[in-house]
Amino acid sequence: MEGSADQRLDFGKMGYGCKHYRRRCKIRAPCCDEIFPCRHCHNEATSLLKNVGDRHELVRHDVRQVVCSVCDTEQQVQQVCENCGVKLGEYFCYVCKFYDDDMEKGQFHCNQCGICRVGGRENFFHCQKCGSCYSVSLRDNHLCVENSMHHHCSICYEYLFDSLKDTLVMKCGHTMHFECFHEMALRDKYRCPICSKSVMDMTEAWKKLDLEVQETIMPEGYRYKVWILCNDCHDTTEVYYHIIGQKCGHCNSFNTRTIRSPK
């Protein structure tokens, strides 16, 4: 390949890759010895295998060999192709074996997470208790839940820690995909699927329920008391049963459940 060194390095930039990443190389999966554009392509392909026992995910740190997309040379993990001299990725992380030509993502490696993130290092901090990087806007401004990102989204069940989708920390401290939270809100679901706490401001909703309770008179035979547990403040209260709902006597939330009915 002729031209200056810089021209060789930049040759083919943003011209190769897959739907997940723009990059000038493919990876050889050490788990099945097959070549894929990236680990996500591998995981999507293996998830469709008929034999459940053959389904598996690629461990990014285990990748040892890559194939240059420009000259088709297979080689050890490195940033510059040993044969044609192009960068296999403008961004390169040897720890994650990660390549990406689209530098507008603001890629950075977090040593504490142990993986690469996007969005610019200056815009994130690592929360030790939650065990993940969060937006700086959440520093000292979120309820910590130990290893909250090291589980699956409770709506779509995709593993959150290394998901490509944006995640959201709810008021209760639990996390889910932003798009899943939005879908939940559109369906008027206001409780965290994990802890059942209200995850949005329900003040106006509780006021409307208050009015409904006042306007709906219960028949004489249903005027009895029950014990309730509030999902928001965890207080227990004895209140009159109502078909509309039972309001917590401590925090005024209607996000409650009956724990003991009259004998």
Side-chain angles (χ1 to χ4, degrees), residues 127-163:
C127 178
Q128 296 290 352
K129 185 172 182 179
C130 294
S132 184
C133 286
Y134 286 148
S135 168
V136 292
S137 63
L138 292 174
R139 191 190 299 271
D140 303 320
N141 190 33
H142 72 285
L143 181 64
C144 286
V145 174
E146 190 169 1
N147 292 323
S148 63
M149 288 287 287
H150 293 264
H151 65 81
H152 297 80
C153 175
S154 52
I155 301 298
C156 70
Y157 212 63
E158 181 182 342
Y159 193 57
L160 288 169
F161 183 68
D162 56 2
S163 172

Side-chain angles (χ1 to χ4, degrees), residues 210-219 242-244:
D210 257 332
L211 291 175
E212 289 186 42
V213 168
Q214 293 172 21
E215 294 172 356
T216 307
I217 306 301
M218 294 294 291
H242 200 284
I243 193 171
I244 301 297

Side-chain angles (χ1 to χ4, degrees), residues 21 23 39-40 60-61 90-100 102-103 105-121 124 126 132-134 149 160-165:
Y21 304 112
R23 63 208 309 185
R39 69 182 183 88
H40 296 292
R60 72 185 80 193
H61 304 97
E90 188 68 25
Y91 175 85
F92 169 65
C93 175
Y94 184 78
V95 177
C96 295
K97 315 302 189 291
F98 177 50
Y99 300 83
D100 199 349
D102 187 2
M103 295 298 290
K105 294 178 182 177
Q107 303 93 330
F108 67 97
H109 181 84
C110 174
N111 289 325
Q112 292 159 304
C113 284
I115 62 175
C116 289
R117 301 285 189 190
V118 297
R121 187 184 301 276
F124 291 86
H126 185 89
S132 184
C133 286
Y134 286 148
M149 288 287 287
L160 288 169
F161 183 68
D162 56 2
S163 172
L164 294 177
K165 302 175 184 176

Side-chain angles (χ1 to χ4, degrees), residues 190-191 198 202 205-214 228-232 242 244-248 251-257:
Y190 62 88
R191 297 177 184 174
S198 300
M202 299 297 294
W206 299 155
K207 288 180 180 179
K208 290 180 181 179
L209 285 179
D210 257 332
L211 291 175
E212 289 186 42
V213 168
Q214 293 172 21
I228 61 169
L229 171 67
C230 178
N231 292 322
D232 288 335
H242 200 284
I244 301 297
Q246 282 68 240
K247 182 168 75 171
C248 173
C251 71
N252 297 323
S253 169
F254 274 89
N255 182 11
T256 62
R257 61 179 182 268

Side-chain angles (χ1 to χ4, degrees), residues 193-204:
I194 298 174
C195 67
S196 294
K197 283 188 176 182
S198 300
V199 295
M200 54 192 75
D201 186 358
M202 299 297 294
T203 304
E204 295 303 316

Side-chain angles (χ1 to χ4, degrees), residues 15-30:
Y16 297 87
C18 61
K19 65 180 181 180
H20 303 106
Y21 304 112
R22 308 309 300 171
R23 63 208 309 185
R24 284 162 280 179
C25 69
K26 300 176 183 180
I27 59 175
R28 182 175 290 282

